Amino acid sequence: MRRLLVLVLSALLASTGTAAADEQVVGGERASIEVNPWAVYLTDDRGALFCGGTIVAPAKVLTAAHCALGRSPADLRVVAGREDRHDREAGMSVTVSEIWIHKQYVSADEGEDVAVLTLKKALPYTPLPIAELSDRELYQPGTQLRALGWGRTSENGKTSRYLMQATVPVLPDDFCVDAYPQFVKTDMFCAGYEGGRIDTCQGDSGGPIVVAGKLVGVTSWGEGCARRGKPGVYVRLSRYAKDLHPIVDALPPVVTDP
Ligand code: ARG
């Protein structure tokens, strides 16, 4: 009996050991751009990735305020329809005409970490709807959410060549407050596991976390990546639906001839 227990325990240890060796998002797996056509990444004018984003209307991309702050539209590109960052033929890289940043934004861990980019041309990819104020049940602790991005696949690792995804449950607000004293319940939620291992990471910021065909959050901040007791923190998007609708639903300006 005891020998069996030892066998089972060592098998368990061996399997967690291999899981740690091929961590990806951190602890995730590859995701397809066909299934997630609204997933985009942001680059500077030289093509270097710095954040993620989500297509929420044909010419609008939602991202984090901390991704957009201090940038001018001229040094920003939105890359859409491209699962493999090395595949220059896939999808398109489009320029930005306008950057909107939430007026109350100061820093990611104080909340309001949302921004909307208006694109110079509409994208041919299906947008993802934003969660509404009435979508409270999507934020119940235990709800399994899917986060996506091309960010680092380990805390000090490189960003990912391929689009990755990880499934993480919403954690109770009390857990988030214990992990981070500055956590603001009304503006944020946190998701992950008490033991860490699976998480978003640097480069995923601004990107989507989804459930039930809706964008429920924006990857915002966390201490390190996938650390025990330090879950990922996401913007509680339903809270910002009212602020975002006028920007996201605005029609592109009509150019009239003199
Ligand atoms: N702030 C990071 C970024 O700019 C995202 C951090 C997410 N961290 C985490 N542990 N989930 O990409």
Side-chain angles (χ1 to χ4, degrees), residues 1 12 73 91 94 103-104 131 136 149 152 192 219 222 232 234 247 250:
M1 187 62 183
L12 269 173
V94 301
K103 290 157 294 295
Q104 264 99 57
R136 259 176 243 100
R152 291 186 186 178
T219 302
Y234 301 85
I247 317 296

PDB file of all heavy atoms in Angstrom, residues 1 12 73 91 94 103-104 131 136 149 152 192 219 222 232 234 247 250:
ATOM      1  N   MET A   1       0.841  -1.203   0.000  1.00  0.00           N
ATOM      2  CA  MET A   1       0.000   0.000   0.000  1.00  0.00           C
ATOM      3  C   MET A   1       0.873   1.248   0.000  1.00  0.00           C
ATOM      4  O   MET A   1       0.692   2.133  -0.825  1.00  0.00           O
ATOM      5  CB  MET A   1      -0.908  -0.007   1.248  1.00  0.00           C
ATOM      6  CG  MET A   1      -1.935   1.115   1.224  1.00  0.00           C
ATOM      7  SD  MET A   1      -3.057   0.972  -0.184  1.00  0.00           S
ATOM      8  CE  MET A   1      -4.023   2.442   0.027  1.00  0.00           C
ATOM      9  N   LEU A  12       3.058  11.833 -10.074  1.00  0.00           N
ATOM     10  CA  LEU A  12       2.486  13.183 -10.036  1.00  0.00           C
ATOM     11  C   LEU A  12       3.586  14.243 -10.127  1.00  0.00           C
ATOM     12  O   LEU A  12       3.483  15.202 -10.881  1.00  0.00           O
ATOM     13  CB  LEU A  12       1.712  13.387  -8.738  1.00  0.00           C
ATOM     14  CG  LEU A  12       0.230  13.036  -8.790  1.00  0.00           C
ATOM     15  CD1 LEU A  12      -0.372  13.114  -7.402  1.00  0.00           C
ATOM     16  CD2 LEU A  12      -0.503  13.988  -9.736  1.00  0.00           C
ATOM     17  N   PRO A  73       0.048  58.381 -32.476  1.00  0.00           N
ATOM     18  CA  PRO A  73      -0.470  57.450 -33.483  1.00  0.00           C
ATOM     19  C   PRO A  73       0.610  57.049 -34.497  1.00  0.00           C
ATOM     20  O   PRO A  73       0.594  55.930 -35.002  1.00  0.00           O
ATOM     21  CB  PRO A  73      -1.596  58.249 -34.151  1.00  0.00           C
ATOM     22  CG  PRO A  73      -2.063  59.181 -33.090  1.00  0.00           C
ATOM     23  CD  PRO A  73      -0.836  59.553 -32.306  1.00  0.00           C
ATOM     24  N   GLY A  91      -2.636  38.302 -42.678  1.00  0.00           N
ATOM     25  CA  GLY A  91      -3.298  39.439 -42.058  1.00  0.00           C
ATOM     26  C   GLY A  91      -2.751  40.756 -42.539  1.00  0.00           C
ATOM     27  O   GLY A  91      -2.313  40.891 -43.681  1.00  0.00           O
ATOM     28  N   VAL A  94      -1.985  47.769 -39.619  1.00  0.00           N
ATOM     29  CA  VAL A  94      -2.680  49.012 -39.965  1.00  0.00           C
ATOM     30  C   VAL A  94      -2.275  50.163 -39.031  1.00  0.00           C
ATOM     31  O   VAL A  94      -1.862  49.936 -37.892  1.00  0.00           O
ATOM     32  CB  VAL A  94      -4.228  48.855 -39.953  1.00  0.00           C
ATOM     33  CG1 VAL A  94      -4.672  47.788 -40.944  1.00  0.00           C
ATOM     34  CG2 VAL A  94      -4.727  48.525 -38.563  1.00  0.00           C
ATOM     35  N   LYS A 103     -10.069  59.243 -19.130  1.00  0.00           N
ATOM     36  CA  LYS A 103      -9.671  60.526 -18.530  1.00  0.00           C
ATOM     37  C   LYS A 103      -9.146  60.387 -17.113  1.00  0.00           C
ATOM     38  O   LYS A 103      -8.308  61.173 -16.680  1.00  0.00           O
ATOM     39  CB  LYS A 103     -10.866  61.489 -18.535  1.00  0.00           C
ATOM     40  CG  LYS A 103     -11.254  61.977 -19.919  1.00  0.00           C
ATOM     41  CD  LYS A 103     -12.701  62.453 -20.007  1.00  0.00           C
ATOM     42  CE  LYS A 103     -13.718  61.316 -19.804  1.00  0.00           C
ATOM     43  NZ  LYS A 103     -13.658  60.285 -20.884  1.00  0.00           N
ATOM     44  N   GLN A 104      -9.625  59.358 -16.372  1.00  0.00           N
ATOM     45  CA  GLN A 104      -9.193  59.205 -14.970  1.00  0.00           C
ATOM     46  C   GLN A 104      -7.943  58.330 -14.810  1.00  0.00           C
ATOM     47  O   GLN A 104      -7.508  58.079 -13.700  1.00  0.00           O
ATOM     48  CB  GLN A 104     -10.324  58.593 -14.133  1.00  0.00           C
ATOM     49  CG  GLN A 104     -11.148  59.630 -13.402  1.00  0.00           C
ATOM     50  CD  GLN A 104     -12.428  59.937 -14.156  1.00  0.00           C
ATOM     51  OE1 GLN A 104     -13.218  59.042 -14.437  1.00  0.00           O
ATOM     52  NE2 GLN A 104     -12.622  61.174 -14.520  1.00  0.00           N
ATOM     53  N   ALA A 131     -18.370  43.206 -22.556  1.00  0.00           N
ATOM     54  CA  ALA A 131     -19.335  42.864 -21.509  1.00  0.00           C
ATOM     55  C   ALA A 131     -20.074  44.127 -21.065  1.00  0.00           C
ATOM     56  O   ALA A 131     -19.499  45.211 -21.022  1.00  0.00           O
ATOM     57  CB  ALA A 131     -18.615  42.236 -20.320  1.00  0.00           C
ATOM     58  N   ARG A 136     -22.965  40.753 -14.765  1.00  0.00           N
ATOM     59  CA  ARG A 136     -22.311  40.493 -13.475  1.00  0.00           C
ATOM     60  C   ARG A 136     -21.921  39.031 -13.276  1.00  0.00           C
ATOM     61  O   ARG A 136     -20.885  38.725 -12.702  1.00  0.00           O
ATOM     62  CB  ARG A 136     -23.233  40.932 -12.337  1.00  0.00           C
ATOM     63  CG  ARG A 136     -22.853  42.266 -11.740  1.00  0.00           C
ATOM     64  CD  ARG A 136     -23.853  42.688 -10.686  1.00  0.00           C
ATOM     65  NE  ARG A 136     -24.544  43.916 -11.071  1.00  0.00           N
ATOM     66  CZ  ARG A 136     -25.758  43.971 -11.601  1.00  0.00           C
ATOM     67  NH1 ARG A 136     -26.445  42.872 -11.806  1.00  0.00           N
ATOM     68  NH2 ARG A 136     -26.294  45.135 -11.923  1.00  0.00           N
ATOM     69  N   GLY A 149      -2.725  36.022 -25.989  1.00  0.00           N
ATOM     70  CA  GLY A 149      -1.695  37.004 -26.324  1.00  0.00           C
ATOM     71  C   GLY A 149      -0.410  36.391 -26.835  1.00  0.00           C
ATOM     72  O   GLY A 149      -0.246  35.167 -26.866  1.00  0.00           O
ATOM     73  N   ARG A 152       5.233  37.131 -23.085  1.00  0.00           N
ATOM     74  CA  ARG A 152       6.265  36.212 -22.606  1.00  0.00           C
ATOM     75  C   ARG A 152       5.676  34.880 -22.155  1.00  0.00           C
ATOM     76  O   ARG A 152       4.605  34.854 -21.551  1.00  0.00           O
ATOM     77  CB  ARG A 152       6.993  36.829 -21.416  1.00  0.00           C
ATOM     78  CG  ARG A 152       7.845  38.001 -21.791  1.00  0.00           C
ATOM     79  CD  ARG A 152       8.635  38.431 -20.570  1.00  0.00           C
ATOM     80  NE  ARG A 152       9.371  39.657 -20.851  1.00  0.00           N
ATOM     81  CZ  ARG A 152      10.122  40.272 -19.949  1.00  0.00           C
ATOM     82  NH1 ARG A 152      10.190  39.792 -18.717  1.00  0.00           N
ATOM     83  NH2 ARG A 152      10.770  41.370 -20.275  1.00  0.00           N
ATOM     84  N   GLY A 192      -6.613  33.358 -11.923  1.00  0.00           N
ATOM     85  CA  GLY A 192      -5.456  32.472 -11.906  1.00  0.00           C
ATOM     86  C   GLY A 192      -5.639  31.418 -10.837  1.00  0.00           C
ATOM     87  O   GLY A 192      -6.760  31.153 -10.417  1.00  0.00           O
ATOM     88  N   THR A 219      -5.981  42.570 -20.035  1.00  0.00           N
ATOM     89  CA  THR A 219      -4.811  42.223 -19.224  1.00  0.00           C
ATOM     90  C   THR A 219      -4.126  43.500 -18.760  1.00  0.00           C
ATOM     91  O   THR A 219      -3.831  44.385 -19.573  1.00  0.00           O
ATOM     92  CB  THR A 219      -3.842  41.334 -20.029  1.00  0.00           C
ATOM     93  OG1 THR A 219      -4.553  40.170 -20.444  1.00  0.00           O
ATOM     94  CG2 THR A 219      -2.628  40.933 -19.189  1.00  0.00           C
ATOM     95  N   GLY A 222       0.317  42.659 -12.611  1.00  0.00           N
ATOM     96  CA  GLY A 222       0.561  41.536 -11.715  1.00  0.00           C
ATOM     97  C   GLY A 222       2.001  41.607 -11.260  1.00  0.00           C
ATOM     98  O   GLY A 222       2.799  42.330 -11.862  1.00  0.00           O
ATOM     99  N   GLY A 232      -2.885  37.226 -11.969  1.00  0.00           N
ATOM    100  CA  GLY A 232      -2.981  38.309 -12.948  1.00  0.00           C
ATOM    101  C   GLY A 232      -4.156  39.210 -12.613  1.00  0.00           C
ATOM    102  O   GLY A 232      -5.191  38.738 -12.121  1.00  0.00           O
ATOM    103  N   TYR A 234      -6.890  42.078 -14.087  1.00  0.00           N
ATOM    104  CA  TYR A 234      -7.541  42.454 -15.338  1.00  0.00           C
ATOM    105  C   TYR A 234      -8.525  43.590 -15.101  1.00  0.00           C
ATOM    106  O   TYR A 234      -9.097  43.703 -14.007  1.00  0.00           O
ATOM    107  CB  TYR A 234      -8.286  41.228 -15.899  1.00  0.00           C
ATOM    108  CG  TYR A 234      -7.345  40.062 -16.138  1.00  0.00           C
ATOM    109  CD1 TYR A 234      -7.014  39.178 -15.104  1.00  0.00           C
ATOM    110  CD2 TYR A 234      -6.739  39.879 -17.371  1.00  0.00           C
ATOM    111  CE1 TYR A 234      -6.112  38.136 -15.301  1.00  0.00           C
ATOM    112  CE2 TYR A 234      -5.836  38.842 -17.584  1.00  0.00           C
ATOM    113  CZ  TYR A 234      -5.534  37.986 -16.545  1.00  0.00           C
ATOM    114  OH  TYR A 234      -4.631  36.962 -16.747  1.00  0.00           O
ATOM    115  N   ILE A 247     -17.265  55.935 -27.605  1.00  0.00           N
ATOM    116  CA  ILE A 247     -16.021  55.919 -28.380  1.00  0.00           C
ATOM    117  C   ILE A 247     -16.025  54.768 -29.385  1.00  0.00           C
ATOM    118  O   ILE A 247     -15.733  54.949 -30.574  1.00  0.00           O
ATOM    119  CB  ILE A 247     -14.785  55.753 -27.437  1.00  0.00           C
ATOM    120  CG1 ILE A 247     -14.896  56.609 -26.190  1.00  0.00           C
ATOM    121  CG2 ILE A 247     -13.488  55.978 -28.197  1.00  0.00           C
ATOM    122  CD1 ILE A 247     -14.905  58.098 -26.426  1.00  0.00           C
ATOM    123  N   ALA A 250     -18.810  55.129 -32.150  1.00  0.00           N
ATOM    124  CA  ALA A 250     -18.764  56.330 -32.998  1.00  0.00           C
ATOM    125  C   ALA A 250     -18.458  55.938 -34.435  1.00  0.00           C
ATOM    126  O   ALA A 250     -17.570  55.121 -34.683  1.00  0.00           O
ATOM    127  CB  ALA A 250     -17.706  57.294 -32.474  1.00  0.00           C
TER     128      ALA A 250
END
